[in-house]
């Protein structure tokens, strides 16, 4: 009989059920990559649990039953379903707070607080009804962080068994709304923590506090959050948890993001058939209504429209490059002001800049495969996925040296980096990239070096498994 490690992996979103951002990619890939590490000696029984948001797409759902959690004098019901993706058991939890809120992330923080507190509590109860016990609870971001806090307080109040808690931090500034009243209504006490006062009532800090291990989504981000610039007021607290804090770089789905097989592309290509890439550039220029010139450098920005991503810096930089010969495409949706600014930029440079202000996964792939340079001037970037996908598709990234960008892009070898979150620093880096682009041999070498990087989830999964094993041993 092999030994087993049982892991309940909690997330607000996961591909292919529902995806809003990078968390959805991670939660869609990592649990499967972990299960694939099972062998004759060790069974890695990871199971995923998600809220059954109204927009979730799921097939072959098996109802598991209707269960309840006490709340004050009465109780709240949750309904659980089971399904499966490629051998991974997936549980979906439904209930009034999830139905009422509707979207994955609501603009109404009260609705989100109710939804995710409810989900975290229900997910904690779930194993009881499954004839299965978790050794590890693995939470992600603020939405599911309370599950660790609740598990810890149950252990104290009810002498429940020790389940080790891991929390992955994908985006520290998002800590969730004040949940003190909600917790109280569920009969969960607010503990005397060593968190700063303001943080004692917020889900993410409570989850960090209750965790046995904290994982940042890249080694650099793991260090950055210990400093005031990126620590969001928790840097001093996190320093006291240094021993349990680590950074594990995310991977990308290398089967899905494979230029040799990607069906969204006009022509497939690889490192040994890089010349075919030019056809994708031509098709892209045609689709966007740009001049179909092979030699002109085509810059791209593929991103959520968010100040985090430094979109405004990119716009200022592009504006300052009026006299240079380039084309650019901006793809993404989000902050209406940034979307407007993108359209404004297109109007200013109608012959060379195109803005597509929506989320379009297929077009994104065509841009990775056809554009020459990807801009990622993030103010902070816990990991970042676009730069890894771009490199795999021979699109050379120009990135700010922060977080996961620093861990994935090698300056002048696989891309270009700059230090300061200023448009001028970005402009200088773009100019260096353009100069290199003019040297065909050098450029090809950069592309091939980027395409040869190994960003498979396997590497990350091995690190997570080692962490799980060290926690189970304790
Ligand atoms: C968040 C971060 C991003 C990271 C992703 C997945 O969206 O902003 O940097 O890649 O989570 O961990």
């Amino acid at each position: 009989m092999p030994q087993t490690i049982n892991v309940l992996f909690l997330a607000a979103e996961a591909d292919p059920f529902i995806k809003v951002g990078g968390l959805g990619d991670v939660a869609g890939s990592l649990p499967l990559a972990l299960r694939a590490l099972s062998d004759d000696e060790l069974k890695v029984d990871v199971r995923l649990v998600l809220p059954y948001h109204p927009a979730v797409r799921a097939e072959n759902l098996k109802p598991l039953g209707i269960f309840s959690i006490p709340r004050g004098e009465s109780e709240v019901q949750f309904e659980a379903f089971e399904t499966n993706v490629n051998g991974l058991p997936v549980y979906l939890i439904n209930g009034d707070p999830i139905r009422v809120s509707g979207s994955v992330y609501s603009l109404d923080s009260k609705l989100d607080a109710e939804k995710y507190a409810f989900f975290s509590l229900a997910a904690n109860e779930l194993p009881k009804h499954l004839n299965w016990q978790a050794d590890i609870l693995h939470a992600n971001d603020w939405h599911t962080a309370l599950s660790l806090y609740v598990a810890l307080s149950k252990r104290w109040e009810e002498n429940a068994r020790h389940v080790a808690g891991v929390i992955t931090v994908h985006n520290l500034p998002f800590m969730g709304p004040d949940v003190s009243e909600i917790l109280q209504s569920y009969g969960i006490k607010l503990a005397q923590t060593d968190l700063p006062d303001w943080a004692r009532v917020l889900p993410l800090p409570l989850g960090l506090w209750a965790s046995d291990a904290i994982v940042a989504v890249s080694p650099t981000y793991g260090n950055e959050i210990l400093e005031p610039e990126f620590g969001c007021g928790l840097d001093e607290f996190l320093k006291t948890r240094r021993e349990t804090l680590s950074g594990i770089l995310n991977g990308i789905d290398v089967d899905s993001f494979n230029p040799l097989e990607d069906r969204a592309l006009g022509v497939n290509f690889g490192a040994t058939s890089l010349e075919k890439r030019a056809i994708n550039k031509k098709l892209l220029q045609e689709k966007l209504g740009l001049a179909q010139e092979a030699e002109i450098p085509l810059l791209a920005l593929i991103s959520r429209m968010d100040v985090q991503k430094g979109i405004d810096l990119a716009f200022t930089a592009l504006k300052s490059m009026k006299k240079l010969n380039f084309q650019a495409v901006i793809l993404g949706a989000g902050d209406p002001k940034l979307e407007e600014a993108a359209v404004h930029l297109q109007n200013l440079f109608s012959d060379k800049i195109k803005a597509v202000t929506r989320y379009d996964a297929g077009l994104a792939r065509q841009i990775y495969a056809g554009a020459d340079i990807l801009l990622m001037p993030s103010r902070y970037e816990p990991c970042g996925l676009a730069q890894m996908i771009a490199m795999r598709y021979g699109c050379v990234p120009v990135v700010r040296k922060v977080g996961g960008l620093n861990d994935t892009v090698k300056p002048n070898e696989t891309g270009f980096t700059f230090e300061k979150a200023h448009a001028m620093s970005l402009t200088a880096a773009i100019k260096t990239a353009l100069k290199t682009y003019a040297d065909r041999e050098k450029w090809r070498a950069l592309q091939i070096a980027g395409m040869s990087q190994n960003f498979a989830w396997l590497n990350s999964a091995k690190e997570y498994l080692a962490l799980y094993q060290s926690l189970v041993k304790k």
Side-chain angles (χ1 to χ4, degrees):
M1 271 284 278
Q3 213 199 327
T4 60
I5 290 191
N6 293 347
V7 183
L8 190 63
F9 192 97
L10 298 84
E13 50 171 299
D15 207 28
F17 297 95
I18 188 146
K19 193 184 102 157
V20 181
L23 172 61
D25 291 297
V26 175
S29 297
L30 178 57
L32 279 163
L34 278 159
R35 280 188 85 89
L37 294 177
S38 298
D39 58 24
D40 294 343
E41 268 144 51
L42 181 70
K43 181 172 178 220
V44 191
D45 190 1
V46 180
R47 303 182 182 196
L48 173 66
V49 56
L50 300 171
Y52 198 173
H53 306 288
V56 160
R57 285 167 312 221
E59 281 158 30
N60 303 323
L61 286 187
K62 184 175 123 204
L64 294 174
I66 297 178
F67 313 106
S68 60
I69 351 178
R71 186 168 195 177
E73 302 290 280
S74 71
E75 49 188 33
V76 195
Q77 289 187 326
F78 73 89
E79 196 174 0
F81 299 88
E82 181 174 357
T83 182
N84 192 293
V85 253
N86 303 323
L88 168 74
V90 181
Y91 304 107
L92 294 167
I93 287 180
N94 212 347
D96 283 338
I98 293 168
R99 267 187 290 268
V100 168
S101 155
S103 53
V104 177
Y105 308 116
S106 161
L107 290 175
D108 181 340
S109 65
K110 277 221 174 88
L111 288 181
D112 261 8
E114 281 288 349
K115 173 175 55 195
Y116 285 115
F118 166 78
F119 175 70
S120 299
L121 276 142
N124 253 297
E125 289 292 306
L126 183 68
K128 261 196 224 161
H129 307 287
L130 296 175
N131 197 13
W132 180 84
Q133 279 192 329
D135 302 308
I136 311 263
L137 272 181
H138 189 156
N140 290 277
D141 276 354
W142 78 264
H143 328 101
T144 49
L146 280 179
S147 66
L148 304 189
Y149 182 73
V150 171
L152 182 64
S153 58
K154 292 239 150 119
R155 199 161 101 220
W156 286 347
E157 305 269 318
E158 300 162 22
N159 236 334
R161 143 178 184 277
H162 184 181
V163 180
V166 175
I167 181 154
T168 296
V169 180
H170 300 261
N171 210 330
L172 187 64
F174 295 85
M175 298 193 193
D178 183 338
V179 284
S180 48
E181 281 174 24
I182 298 176
L183 286 180
Q184 216 175 14
S185 74
Y186 280 110
I188 294 154
K189 295 198 184 106
L190 271 187
Q192 280 303 322
T193 62
D194 57 347
L195 288 164
D197 280 344
W198 56 267
R200 285 182 189 169
V201 294
L202 306 180
L204 181 62
L206 287 170
L208 294 170
W209 178 80
S211 69
D212 296 280
I214 300 170
V215 182
V217 288
S218 67
T220 299
Y221 194 55
N223 288 326
E224 286 171 343
I225 58 179
L226 297 174
E227 303 302 327
E229 189 187 350
F230 297 102
C232 307
L234 291 183
D235 36 297
E236 288 303 322
F237 164 77
L238 288 169
K239 270 186 195 152
T240 68
R241 300 304 173 96
R242 215 180 211 145
E243 303 263 288
T244 64
L245 171 71
S246 61
I248 301 179
L249 196 66
N250 288 333
I252 54 171
D253 183 336
V254 291
D255 295 324
S256 165
F257 291 110
N258 180 0
L260 280 167
E261 285 171 13
D262 192 332
R263 296 215 181 150
L265 310 190
V267 181
N268 291 111
F269 65 96
T272 54
S273 51
L274 201 50
E275 65 292 341
K276 288 196 202 148
R277 198 177 182 278
I279 303 169
N280 289 304
K281 179 169 177 178
K282 191 169 181 313
L283 290 170
L284 179 63
Q285 287 167 321
E286 186 183 346
K287 187 167 186 172
L288 296 169
L290 292 166
Q292 291 170 49
E293 289 173 37
E295 297 303 318
I296 189 166
L298 174 50
L299 278 53
L301 198 89
I302 305 176
S303 173
R304 229 175 343 114
M305 292 284 151
D306 190 309
V307 275
Q308 173 197 336
K309 301 289 183 180
I311 310 286
D312 50 317
L313 305 179
F315 292 172
T316 311
L318 291 177
K319 245 187 232 165
S320 77
M321 292 166 35
K322 227 190 325 237
K323 297 207 183 102
L324 299 183
N325 191 26
F326 73 93
Q327 295 175 334
V329 50
I330 301 161
L331 173 67
D335 185 340
K337 278 203 197 105
L338 290 170
E339 288 187 15
E340 218 173 275
V343 174
H344 179 68
L345 200 63
Q346 165 178 279
N347 295 339
L348 277 181
F349 295 79
S350 52
D351 58 329
K352 53 167 120 178
I353 299 185
K354 295 292 161 190
V356 183
T357 52
R358 61 185 151 85
Y359 175 72
D360 186 331
L363 179 57
R365 287 166 181 269
Q366 291 160 0
I367 297 176
Y368 289 125
D372 300 296
I373 296 170
L374 180 85
L375 306 181
M376 249 178 125
S378 307
R379 293 205 158 75
Y380 70 93
E381 195 62 77
C383 179
L385 305 170
Q387 81 281 14
M388 293 191 262
I389 303 171
M391 281 185 262
R392 199 160 153 74
Y393 282 64
C395 179
V396 177
V398 173
V399 305
R400 178 153 178 247
K401 226 170 151 27
V402 282
L405 298 173
N406 180 48
D407 294 321
T408 49
V409 179
K410 298 180 190 152
N412 306 315
E413 195 183 315
T414 61
F416 300 88
T417 60
F418 63 98
E419 301 265 349
K420 292 213 175 81
H422 292 156
M424 261 166 40
S425 314
L426 168 61
T427 310
I430 296 176
K431 285 185 177 160
T432 311
L434 292 179
K435 216 179 263 161
T436 315
Y437 176 81
D439 182 333
R440 302 312 297 159
E441 275 314 300
K442 265 199 192 158
W443 194 257
R444 213 182 126 79
L446 274 168
Q447 288 178 298
I448 299 218
M451 293 176 88
S452 326
Q453 302 295 302
N454 181 359
F455 296 123
W457 268 108
L458 177 67
N459 310 326
S460 327
K462 281 185 186 159
E463 289 188 54
Y464 274 104
L465 179 57
L467 174 66
Y468 293 161
Q469 284 179 301
S470 73
L471 291 173
V472 173
K473 245 183 232 155
K474 280 188 197 156

